[in-house]
Amino acid sequence: MYIALGAMIFQALEKDFEVERRELAVDTKCDFLKNRSNMTQEDVEVFVQMMTSLILSGIPPLGNKTNALLWTFGSSFTTSLTILSTIGYGTVFPRTPGGQMFCVVFAAIGIPLTIVFFKNIGKLVSLPFEKLGNCLKHKGISEEYKEGVPFREPMGAGGQENWTYIEGVYYSFTTISAIGFGDYTIVSNPMKESQNIAYSILLLIWNLHGLAWIALVFHLITNVFQEMESKLNKNISEIEVEAESMKSGAGDPHGR
């Protein structure tokens, strides 16, 4: 409900600005085509700067459509989700002052809620593996069982996007680890004029599961590093105590 509310507000704040920018793109291209034979180098530079400005503002100057494509309710919903999950691809983002200020408030409240949500998902994901560990213990298996994490390869989207397998793995990891470079995007891709709804929903479910999954993996890796640090500190302390005792013994030849 929180994401849906955010999507409606983002749509209301950003839709008109997107339409204005798209109309500007179409008009600028029409003027360029009409006057291209009489244009000077400076005119071409101005045209290139305008197109660059549109791209940097998240509006791809392709086609002749002037209706909103980035800030429909569906696109706003996925953008809201990428904000709260802190993935932040950087391909679709609020450009109006109202949208930017709302993003600050929306994220400040929503990210803590999302952390709690992911924590609960993590518990649900690990619960079956904890039960499996307890079952194995009861059957006489003595190996220590730690937090269960489904160590399987994250599902990628390479096939649907005409990516290579490596590109699919790269996208999957940068997405669920919340790195979100934005060089490979699916649900927040401004270059796409339409997106299969079922495919988008499937990816959103995968994102939620993947974020919880990778959080568990990172938690286990963090515990390993903490244990290594603890053992290292303990060994250093023992060495320092031993060195101190040897130094004291060397200073007192009678052992006093």
Side-chain angles (χ1 to χ4, degrees), residues 15-26:
K15 184 177 180 179
D16 291 342
F17 178 78
E18 181 191 353
V19 171
E20 291 176 4
R21 300 297 286 180
R22 288 188 179 276
E23 290 176 347
L24 175 63
V26 172

Side-chain angles (χ1 to χ4, degrees), residues 152-227:
R152 63 172 183 266
E153 182 182 344
M155 180 192 77
Q160 291 290 332
E161 300 295 324
N162 295 320
W163 295 339
T164 65
Y165 181 76
I166 297 299
E167 289 173 327
V169 172
Y170 169 77
Y171 162 80
S172 299
F173 181 79
T174 56
T175 295
I176 64 176
S177 62
I179 296 174
F181 287 124
D183 48 351
Y184 288 84
T185 59
I186 297 176
V187 294
S188 296
N189 191 344
M191 303 302 292
K192 289 186 176 182
E193 295 187 356
S194 62
Q195 178 75 46
N196 185 284
I197 299 299
Y199 181 45
S200 297
I201 293 174
L202 177 63
L203 285 171
L204 292 176
I205 294 173
W206 169 77
N207 281 343
L208 291 174
H209 179 273
L211 286 163
W213 178 85
I214 203 69
L216 290 174
V217 174
F218 286 163
H219 176 67
L220 290 179
I221 295 174
T222 301
N223 287 342
V224 171
F225 286 146
Q226 288 176 341
E227 289 178 6

Side-chain angles (χ1 to χ4, degrees), residues 72-195:
T72 61
F73 177 77
S75 297
S76 300
F77 188 91
T78 57
T79 300
S80 300
L81 183 58
T82 59
I83 291 171
L84 297 188
S85 62
T86 69
I87 295 174
Y89 288 123
T91 51
V92 179
F93 44 86
R95 296 296 301 177
T96 65
Q100 292 171 343
M101 285 305 302
F102 173 71
C103 182
V104 172
V105 177
F106 179 72
I109 298 173
I111 290 176
L113 291 176
T114 305
I115 293 173
V116 174
F117 180 68
F118 285 157
K119 182 179 179 181
N120 291 331
I121 291 181
K123 290 180 180 178
L124 292 176
V125 170
S126 63
L127 184 61
F129 298 92
E130 292 178 359
K131 290 183 178 180
L132 176 61
N134 293 331
C135 179
L136 294 176
K137 281 185 178 179
H138 288 310
K139 290 185 177 182
I141 297 178
S142 59
E143 284 81 4
E144 182 181 358
Y145 177 78
K146 294 185 177 181
E147 293 177 81
V149 179
F151 285 99
R152 63 172 183 266
E153 182 182 344
M155 180 192 77
Q160 291 290 332
E161 300 295 324
N162 295 320
W163 295 339
T164 65
Y165 181 76
I166 297 299
E167 289 173 327
V169 172
Y170 169 77
Y171 162 80
S172 299
F173 181 79
T174 56
T175 295
I176 64 176
S177 62
I179 296 174
F181 287 124
D183 48 351
Y184 288 84
T185 59
I186 297 176
V187 294
S188 296
N189 191 344
M191 303 302 292
K192 289 186 176 182
E193 295 187 356
S194 62
Q195 178 75 46

Side-chain angles (χ1 to χ4, degrees), residues 7-65:
M8 289 188 290
I9 296 176
F10 273 125
Q11 182 184 16
L13 293 172
E14 296 292 326
K15 184 177 180 179
D16 291 342
F17 178 78
E18 181 191 353
V19 171
E20 291 176 4
R21 300 297 286 180
R22 288 188 179 276
E23 290 176 347
L24 175 63
V26 172
D27 293 341
T28 303
K29 287 191 298 183
C30 288
D31 291 341
F32 176 80
L33 293 175
K34 289 178 181 178
N35 304 314
R36 66 182 183 277
S37 59
N38 299 322
M39 280 190 167
T40 63
Q41 183 176 351
E42 292 182 357
D43 294 332
V44 174
E45 289 290 340
V46 170
F47 173 77
V48 172
Q49 289 177 2
M50 178 61 70
M51 294 297 103
T52 303
S53 174
L54 289 169
I55 293 172
L56 293 177
S57 66
I59 306 297
L62 301 175
N64 295 314
K65 292 186 177 181

